[in-house]
Amino acid sequence: MLVCETQECWTQFLEYVKDRCSATAFGNWLAPIMVKEGAEDEITLEVPNIFVQEYLLSNYHKELCMFLPVHEDGSPAVNFEIKAPKKEPIPMPANLPKTVPPPSPPTNFYEVKLNHRYKFSSFIEGASNQFIKSAAIGVADRPGKSYNPLFIHGGVGLGKTHILHSIGHHIADNQKNMRIQMITTEGFINDLVDNLRRKTVDKMKRFYRSEIDVLLIDDIQFLQNRLNFEEEFCILLDHYANNGKQVVLTCDKPPSQLKLSERMKARMEWGLVAHMGVPDLETRVAIMKHKAEQKGLDLPNEIAFFIAEHLYNNVRQLEGAVNRLNAHCRLLNTQITRDLVVNTMGEMFQQSPKNLITVEQVLKSVATIFQVRVSDLKSATRTKSVAIARQVAMYLAKMLVNDSLMSLGVYFNKTHSTILHACKTIEQKIKEDEMLKRQIDLVKRNLEC
Ligand code: ADP
Ligand code: MG
């Protein structure tokens, strides 16, 4: 293999692993490696120090074998040369040893590698998550300059971690100079404990303050029972905010519901707090179709709808369903039918689809009882009869539909505070207006039977 050909293999290797590790790890460990020589059956790489060589061999053995020549025993046929250190500007005293110790290894604090599957391009958008996706793209386009911090909260398995990694990828792809660190709260705390024990905590603090531009923190709810570490996080958030560095946090609840100090909650509410809702039926179907397509599984629409009607509050379960079906179809070489679905995942189903109520059903039922058109309910018409019917529809949708305020807002083309206002108004009105109460009961009965 010639040098230029080897160079190409090495570039391909770098491109492959770049998608699978953080920008910081890539910049620290892999980018400084150069191709020195290339032959058909082995290559020589120039590394800045022995640590980089060991890091490469122990972390990327499999990938090296995929892209570079291999020995007969299956190990990568790679030689290493340590790059000669730059000449010291100050002359060395004659009695000192000539050899220069290798530079200290790059800082290696806890971090999570960005998952190459979690990118904006593979995140399916719908009313429940459109707002978050736009906010996340806004942050990723201009880190530290739009919403800071961005706080994403929502239930389990709805895509919070996916969005967090997507932000990391987007910045790494478009702003190569930005140093990104992706951590989980638990991992960070464990690292902090470890560094306290080893008396290297100052180094760790320096690292987070001066070597990172974008900090992505997953699952901040785990800080709740670790109050000794709250102060450290608070100082960190202050530092990032004061220096225009971006922080993104995910959590299973909004800041106001966290059992943390008011100061910490205030820090987290400084920027934008955004709720990740449960995807509506069409989005759930689109997600399943996308996941099936990625696996090469032909999932008929009718079946996707059938499953999505039953599994409705956790995208991870939808993914699990696709995986199960895929395994069954491949092992048994069968077609996907409703019966197969019921037999293989009936126990995963949460509720009879009959009990699921959609916004469209609420609108239709309200329109019938209040004698207006569905299109009026969605429009900005302000005539009294339509306005009341619209408020009733919002009130019932919030009560009966398993969806976030944000996505209900999208249906009605209104903000979530307008929906809340409508709910309060109707709650008040039904206390005084018996006729209205009866009409609403009728709509509810129609919907629930
Ligand atoms: P959370 O962090 O909210 O618990 P995750 O981000 O881990 O959820 O998402 C669980 C799984 O569901 C992941 O595999 C993720 O890719 C997938 N997922 C969630 N939402 C979406 C979406 N809108 N489009 C595509 N995949 C999604
Ligand atoms: Mg998560």
Side-chain angles (χ1 to χ4, degrees), residues 362-389:
V362 172
L363 289 173
K364 267 191 208 148
S365 195
V366 169
T368 312
I369 302 293
F370 284 76
Q371 300 194 340
V372 294
R373 284 180 307 212
V374 169
S375 55
D376 288 336
L377 295 176
K378 290 182 175 175
S379 73
T381 313
R382 285 177 184 229
T383 55
K384 198 168 172 212
S385 57
V386 172
I388 284 275

PDB file of all heavy atoms in Angstrom, residues 362-389:
ATOM      1  N   VAL A 362     -62.595  14.852  19.902  1.00  0.00           N
ATOM      2  CA  VAL A 362     -63.152  15.879  20.803  1.00  0.00           C
ATOM      3  C   VAL A 362     -63.768  16.995  19.963  1.00  0.00           C
ATOM      4  O   VAL A 362     -64.905  17.425  20.193  1.00  0.00           O
ATOM      5  CB  VAL A 362     -62.040  16.456  21.720  1.00  0.00           C
ATOM      6  CG1 VAL A 362     -62.575  17.649  22.513  1.00  0.00           C
ATOM      7  CG2 VAL A 362     -61.520  15.388  22.667  1.00  0.00           C
ATOM      8  N   LEU A 363     -63.028  17.421  18.942  1.00  0.00           N
ATOM      9  CA  LEU A 363     -63.526  18.527  18.102  1.00  0.00           C
ATOM     10  C   LEU A 363     -64.843  18.139  17.433  1.00  0.00           C
ATOM     11  O   LEU A 363     -65.807  18.909  17.433  1.00  0.00           O
ATOM     12  CB  LEU A 363     -62.488  18.879  17.026  1.00  0.00           C
ATOM     13  CG  LEU A 363     -61.217  19.567  17.539  1.00  0.00           C
ATOM     14  CD1 LEU A 363     -60.199  19.720  16.419  1.00  0.00           C
ATOM     15  CD2 LEU A 363     -61.539  20.923  18.126  1.00  0.00           C
ATOM     16  N   LYS A 364     -64.894  16.916  16.907  1.00  0.00           N
ATOM     17  CA  LYS A 364     -66.114  16.477  16.199  1.00  0.00           C
ATOM     18  C   LYS A 364     -67.300  16.444  17.157  1.00  0.00           C
ATOM     19  O   LYS A 364     -68.388  16.919  16.849  1.00  0.00           O
ATOM     20  CB  LYS A 364     -65.898  15.061  15.621  1.00  0.00           C
ATOM     21  CG  LYS A 364     -65.399  15.106  14.188  1.00  0.00           C
ATOM     22  CD  LYS A 364     -65.457  13.717  13.589  1.00  0.00           C
ATOM     23  CE  LYS A 364     -64.382  13.596  12.527  1.00  0.00           C
ATOM     24  NZ  LYS A 364     -63.830  12.290  12.398  1.00  0.00           N
ATOM     25  N   SER A 365     -67.051  15.873  18.319  1.00  0.00           N
ATOM     26  CA  SER A 365     -68.138  15.716  19.266  1.00  0.00           C
ATOM     27  C   SER A 365     -68.627  17.073  19.786  1.00  0.00           C
ATOM     28  O   SER A 365     -69.832  17.306  19.905  1.00  0.00           O
ATOM     29  CB  SER A 365     -67.640  14.830  20.410  1.00  0.00           C
ATOM     30  OG  SER A 365     -68.704  14.387  21.150  1.00  0.00           O
ATOM     31  N   VAL A 366     -67.693  17.964  20.072  1.00  0.00           N
ATOM     32  CA  VAL A 366     -68.075  19.313  20.531  1.00  0.00           C
ATOM     33  C   VAL A 366     -68.852  20.021  19.416  1.00  0.00           C
ATOM     34  O   VAL A 366     -69.882  20.661  19.659  1.00  0.00           O
ATOM     35  CB  VAL A 366     -66.817  20.126  20.937  1.00  0.00           C
ATOM     36  CG1 VAL A 366     -67.167  21.597  21.157  1.00  0.00           C
ATOM     37  CG2 VAL A 366     -66.195  19.548  22.193  1.00  0.00           C
ATOM     38  N   ALA A 367     -68.358  19.880  18.183  1.00  0.00           N
ATOM     39  CA  ALA A 367     -69.019  20.557  17.060  1.00  0.00           C
ATOM     40  C   ALA A 367     -70.465  20.077  16.932  1.00  0.00           C
ATOM     41  O   ALA A 367     -71.376  20.869  16.694  1.00  0.00           O
ATOM     42  CB  ALA A 367     -68.244  20.284  15.770  1.00  0.00           C
ATOM     43  N   THR A 368     -70.681  18.771  17.125  1.00  0.00           N
ATOM     44  CA  THR A 368     -72.042  18.247  17.002  1.00  0.00           C
ATOM     45  C   THR A 368     -72.949  18.821  18.094  1.00  0.00           C
ATOM     46  O   THR A 368     -74.035  19.327  17.816  1.00  0.00           O
ATOM     47  CB  THR A 368     -72.023  16.690  17.139  1.00  0.00           C
ATOM     48  OG1 THR A 368     -70.999  16.203  16.291  1.00  0.00           O
ATOM     49  CG2 THR A 368     -73.351  16.067  16.790  1.00  0.00           C
ATOM     50  N   ILE A 369     -72.501  18.735  19.308  1.00  0.00           N
ATOM     51  CA  ILE A 369     -73.366  19.155  20.425  1.00  0.00           C
ATOM     52  C   ILE A 369     -73.578  20.677  20.417  1.00  0.00           C
ATOM     53  O   ILE A 369     -74.662  21.169  20.702  1.00  0.00           O
ATOM     54  CB  ILE A 369     -72.760  18.705  21.784  1.00  0.00           C
ATOM     55  CG1 ILE A 369     -72.569  17.185  21.810  1.00  0.00           C
ATOM     56  CG2 ILE A 369     -73.606  19.186  22.963  1.00  0.00           C
ATOM     57  CD1 ILE A 369     -73.851  16.385  21.803  1.00  0.00           C
ATOM     58  N   PHE A 370     -72.537  21.420  20.070  1.00  0.00           N
ATOM     59  CA  PHE A 370     -72.651  22.890  20.119  1.00  0.00           C
ATOM     60  C   PHE A 370     -73.090  23.489  18.771  1.00  0.00           C
ATOM     61  O   PHE A 370     -73.153  24.704  18.613  1.00  0.00           O
ATOM     62  CB  PHE A 370     -71.325  23.512  20.580  1.00  0.00           C
ATOM     63  CG  PHE A 370     -71.096  23.375  22.059  1.00  0.00           C
ATOM     64  CD1 PHE A 370     -70.706  22.156  22.598  1.00  0.00           C
ATOM     65  CD2 PHE A 370     -71.301  24.445  22.930  1.00  0.00           C
ATOM     66  CE1 PHE A 370     -70.498  22.007  23.964  1.00  0.00           C
ATOM     67  CE2 PHE A 370     -71.103  24.307  24.296  1.00  0.00           C
ATOM     68  CZ  PHE A 370     -70.702  23.079  24.813  1.00  0.00           C
ATOM     69  N   GLN A 371     -73.314  22.591  17.814  1.00  0.00           N
ATOM     70  CA  GLN A 371     -73.812  22.995  16.495  1.00  0.00           C
ATOM     71  C   GLN A 371     -72.952  24.070  15.826  1.00  0.00           C
ATOM     72  O   GLN A 371     -73.426  25.138  15.449  1.00  0.00           O
ATOM     73  CB  GLN A 371     -75.260  23.464  16.629  1.00  0.00           C
ATOM     74  CG  GLN A 371     -76.081  22.319  17.169  1.00  0.00           C
ATOM     75  CD  GLN A 371     -77.564  22.530  17.041  1.00  0.00           C
ATOM     76  OE1 GLN A 371     -78.018  23.646  16.890  1.00  0.00           O
ATOM     77  NE2 GLN A 371     -78.292  21.454  17.093  1.00  0.00           N
ATOM     78  N   VAL A 372     -71.666  23.776  15.786  1.00  0.00           N
ATOM     79  CA  VAL A 372     -70.734  24.624  15.022  1.00  0.00           C
ATOM     80  C   VAL A 372     -69.937  23.685  14.113  1.00  0.00           C
ATOM     81  O   VAL A 372     -70.088  22.467  14.211  1.00  0.00           O
ATOM     82  CB  VAL A 372     -69.764  25.406  15.951  1.00  0.00           C
ATOM     83  CG1 VAL A 372     -70.509  26.431  16.795  1.00  0.00           C
ATOM     84  CG2 VAL A 372     -68.974  24.451  16.840  1.00  0.00           C
ATOM     85  N   ARG A 373     -69.061  24.287  13.265  1.00  0.00           N
ATOM     86  CA  ARG A 373     -68.263  23.415  12.399  1.00  0.00           C
ATOM     87  C   ARG A 373     -66.892  23.163  13.024  1.00  0.00           C
ATOM     88  O   ARG A 373     -66.365  24.046  13.745  1.00  0.00           O
ATOM     89  CB  ARG A 373     -68.077  24.081  11.030  1.00  0.00           C
ATOM     90  CG  ARG A 373     -69.331  24.001  10.180  1.00  0.00           C
ATOM     91  CD  ARG A 373     -69.089  24.652   8.857  1.00  0.00           C
ATOM     92  NE  ARG A 373     -68.570  26.006   9.069  1.00  0.00           N
ATOM     93  CZ  ARG A 373     -68.797  27.017   8.264  1.00  0.00           C
ATOM     94  NH1 ARG A 373     -69.504  26.849   7.175  1.00  0.00           N
ATOM     95  NH2 ARG A 373     -68.303  28.210   8.507  1.00  0.00           N
ATOM     96  N   VAL A 374     -66.322  22.006  12.741  1.00  0.00           N
ATOM     97  CA  VAL A 374     -64.985  21.702  13.265  1.00  0.00           C
ATOM     98  C   VAL A 374     -63.997  22.772  12.820  1.00  0.00           C
ATOM     99  O   VAL A 374     -63.158  23.245  13.594  1.00  0.00           O
ATOM    100  CB  VAL A 374     -64.516  20.294  12.798  1.00  0.00           C
ATOM    101  CG1 VAL A 374     -63.045  20.079  13.106  1.00  0.00           C
ATOM    102  CG2 VAL A 374     -65.349  19.203  13.453  1.00  0.00           C
ATOM    103  N   SER A 375     -64.142  23.213  11.559  1.00  0.00           N
ATOM    104  CA  SER A 375     -63.206  24.233  11.051  1.00  0.00           C
ATOM    105  C   SER A 375     -63.326  25.541  11.845  1.00  0.00           C
ATOM    106  O   SER A 375     -62.339  26.252  12.032  1.00  0.00           O
ATOM    107  CB  SER A 375     -63.440  24.479   9.559  1.00  0.00           C
ATOM    108  OG  SER A 375     -64.794  24.808   9.361  1.00  0.00           O
ATOM    109  N   ASP A 376     -64.557  25.841  12.332  1.00  0.00           N
ATOM    110  CA  ASP A 376     -64.715  27.043  13.163  1.00  0.00           C
ATOM    111  C   ASP A 376     -63.909  26.910  14.457  1.00  0.00           C
ATOM    112  O   ASP A 376     -63.297  27.864  14.934  1.00  0.00           O
ATOM    113  CB  ASP A 376     -66.191  27.254  13.553  1.00  0.00           C
ATOM    114  CG  ASP A 376     -67.019  27.705  12.363  1.00  0.00           C
ATOM    115  OD1 ASP A 376     -66.422  28.278  11.432  1.00  0.00           O
ATOM    116  OD2 ASP A 376     -68.240  27.460  12.372  1.00  0.00           O
ATOM    117  N   LEU A 377     -63.940  25.706  15.001  1.00  0.00           N
ATOM    118  CA  LEU A 377     -63.243  25.503  16.279  1.00  0.00           C
ATOM    119  C   LEU A 377     -61.737  25.715  16.130  1.00  0.00           C
ATOM    120  O   LEU A 377     -61.068  26.151  17.054  1.00  0.00           O
ATOM    121  CB  LEU A 377     -63.507  24.085  16.811  1.00  0.00           C
ATOM    122  CG  LEU A 377     -64.956  23.785  17.181  1.00  0.00           C
ATOM    123  CD1 LEU A 377     -65.115  22.340  17.609  1.00  0.00           C
ATOM    124  CD2 LEU A 377     -65.425  24.709  18.302  1.00  0.00           C
ATOM    125  N   LYS A 378     -61.248  25.397  14.939  1.00  0.00           N
ATOM    126  CA  LYS A 378     -59.800  25.553  14.717  1.00  0.00           C
ATOM    127  C   LYS A 378     -59.451  26.957  14.231  1.00  0.00           C
ATOM    128  O   LYS A 378     -58.282  27.317  14.144  1.00  0.00           O
ATOM    129  CB  LYS A 378     -59.321  24.542  13.668  1.00  0.00           C
ATOM    130  CG  LYS A 378     -59.324  23.111  14.158  1.00  0.00           C
ATOM    131  CD  LYS A 378     -58.793  22.247  13.037  1.00  0.00           C
ATOM    132  CE  LYS A 378     -58.640  20.806  13.440  1.00  0.00           C
ATOM    133  NZ  LYS A 378     -58.238  19.979  12.315  1.00  0.00           N
ATOM    134  N   SER A 379     -60.471  27.733  13.870  1.00  0.00           N
ATOM    135  CA  SER A 379     -60.202  29.058  13.273  1.00  0.00           C
ATOM    136  C   SER A 379     -60.086  30.123  14.357  1.00  0.00           C
ATOM    137  O   SER A 379     -60.130  29.822  15.544  1.00  0.00           O
ATOM    138  CB  SER A 379     -61.349  29.431  12.342  1.00  0.00           C
ATOM    139  OG  SER A 379     -62.474  29.765  13.132  1.00  0.00           O
ATOM    140  N   ALA A 380     -59.968  31.377  13.915  1.00  0.00           N
ATOM    141  CA  ALA A 380     -59.846  32.472  14.892  1.00  0.00           C
ATOM    142  C   ALA A 380     -61.191  33.168  15.087  1.00  0.00           C
ATOM    143  O   ALA A 380     -61.265  34.216  15.729  1.00  0.00           O
ATOM    144  CB  ALA A 380     -58.791  33.462  14.409  1.00  0.00           C
ATOM    145  N   THR A 381     -62.276  32.596  14.524  1.00  0.00           N
ATOM    146  CA  THR A 381     -63.604  33.219  14.645  1.00  0.00           C
ATOM    147  C   THR A 381     -63.928  33.532  16.103  1.00  0.00           C
ATOM    148  O   THR A 381     -63.715  32.701  16.978  1.00  0.00           O
ATOM    149  CB  THR A 381     -64.701  32.241  14.119  1.00  0.00           C
ATOM    150  OG1 THR A 381     -64.262  31.726  12.893  1.00  0.00           O
ATOM    151  CG2 THR A 381     -66.044  32.934  13.959  1.00  0.00           C
ATOM    152  N   ARG A 382     -64.465  34.740  16.332  1.00  0.00           N
ATOM    153  CA  ARG A 382     -64.703  35.122  17.720  1.00  0.00           C
ATOM    154  C   ARG A 382     -66.174  35.239  18.101  1.00  0.00           C
ATOM    155  O   ARG A 382     -66.492  35.805  19.134  1.00  0.00           O
ATOM    156  CB  ARG A 382     -64.020  36.466  17.990  1.00  0.00           C
ATOM    157  CG  ARG A 382     -62.535  36.307  18.104  1.00  0.00           C
ATOM    158  CD  ARG A 382     -61.914  37.647  18.283  1.00  0.00           C
ATOM    159  NE  ARG A 382     -60.477  37.499  18.287  1.00  0.00           N
ATOM    160  CZ  ARG A 382     -59.694  38.032  19.208  1.00  0.00           C
ATOM    161  NH1 ARG A 382     -60.201  38.732  20.175  1.00  0.00           N
ATOM    162  NH2 ARG A 382     -58.398  37.881  19.132  1.00  0.00           N
ATOM    163  N   THR A 383     -67.075  34.774  17.213  1.00  0.00           N
ATOM    164  CA  THR A 383     -68.494  34.885  17.594  1.00  0.00           C
ATOM    165  C   THR A 383     -68.685  34.101  18.894  1.00  0.00           C
ATOM    166  O   THR A 383     -67.995  33.111  19.141  1.00  0.00           O
ATOM    167  CB  THR A 383     -69.412  34.280  16.506  1.00  0.00           C
ATOM    168  OG1 THR A 383     -68.984  32.955  16.272  1.00  0.00           O
ATOM    169  CG2 THR A 383     -69.368  35.068  15.226  1.00  0.00           C
ATOM    170  N   LYS A 384     -69.656  34.566  19.700  1.00  0.00           N
ATOM    171  CA  LYS A 384     -69.756  34.054  21.068  1.00  0.00           C
ATOM    172  C   LYS A 384     -69.940  32.529  21.099  1.00  0.00           C
ATOM    173  O   LYS A 384     -69.246  31.821  21.847  1.00  0.00           O
ATOM    174  CB  LYS A 384     -70.910  34.751  21.786  1.00  0.00           C
ATOM    175  CG  LYS A 384     -70.799  34.592  23.278  1.00  0.00           C
ATOM    176  CD  LYS A 384     -71.751  35.509  23.992  1.00  0.00           C
ATOM    177  CE  LYS A 384     -71.718  35.130  25.470  1.00  0.00           C
ATOM    178  NZ  LYS A 384     -72.975  35.333  26.106  1.00  0.00           N
ATOM    179  N   SER A 385     -70.862  32.015  20.233  1.00  0.00           N
ATOM    180  CA  SER A 385     -71.145  30.578  20.301  1.00  0.00           C
ATOM    181  C   SER A 385     -69.904  29.754  19.936  1.00  0.00           C
ATOM    182  O   SER A 385     -69.616  28.735  20.569  1.00  0.00           O
ATOM    183  CB  SER A 385     -72.307  30.236  19.366  1.00  0.00           C
ATOM    184  OG  SER A 385     -71.983  30.653  18.068  1.00  0.00           O
ATOM    185  N   VAL A 386     -69.156  30.240  18.934  1.00  0.00           N
ATOM    186  CA  VAL A 386     -67.951  29.484  18.535  1.00  0.00           C
ATOM    187  C   VAL A 386     -66.880  29.595  19.625  1.00  0.00           C
ATOM    188  O   VAL A 386     -66.212  28.606  19.968  1.00  0.00           O
ATOM    189  CB  VAL A 386     -67.401  30.002  17.181  1.00  0.00           C
ATOM    190  CG1 VAL A 386     -66.055  29.367  16.878  1.00  0.00           C
ATOM    191  CG2 VAL A 386     -68.376  29.710  16.062  1.00  0.00           C
ATOM    192  N   ALA A 387     -66.746  30.788  20.184  1.00  0.00           N
ATOM    193  CA  ALA A 387     -65.692  30.987  21.197  1.00  0.00           C
ATOM    194  C   ALA A 387     -65.914  30.064  22.395  1.00  0.00           C
ATOM    195  O   ALA A 387     -64.969  29.430  22.889  1.00  0.00           O
ATOM    196  CB  ALA A 387     -65.665  32.452  21.638  1.00  0.00           C
ATOM    197  N   ILE A 388     -67.181  29.956  22.841  1.00  0.00           N
ATOM    198  CA  ILE A 388     -67.465  29.071  23.992  1.00  0.00           C
ATOM    199  C   ILE A 388     -67.194  27.619  23.605  1.00  0.00           C
ATOM    200  O   ILE A 388     -66.532  26.877  24.341  1.00  0.00           O
ATOM    201  CB  ILE A 388     -68.952  29.208  24.422  1.00  0.00           C
ATOM    202  CG1 ILE A 388     -69.154  30.499  25.172  1.00  0.00           C
ATOM    203  CG2 ILE A 388     -69.397  28.019  25.264  1.00  0.00           C
ATOM    204  CD1 ILE A 388     -68.832  30.400  26.645  1.00  0.00           C
ATOM    205  N   ALA A 389     -67.680  27.224  22.430  1.00  0.00           N
ATOM    206  CA  ALA A 389     -67.482  25.827  21.998  1.00  0.00           C
ATOM    207  C   ALA A 389     -65.990  25.516  21.903  1.00  0.00           C
ATOM    208  O   ALA A 389     -65.533  24.432  22.285  1.00  0.00           O
ATOM    209  CB  ALA A 389     -68.158  25.606  20.647  1.00  0.00           C
TER     210      ALA A 389
END
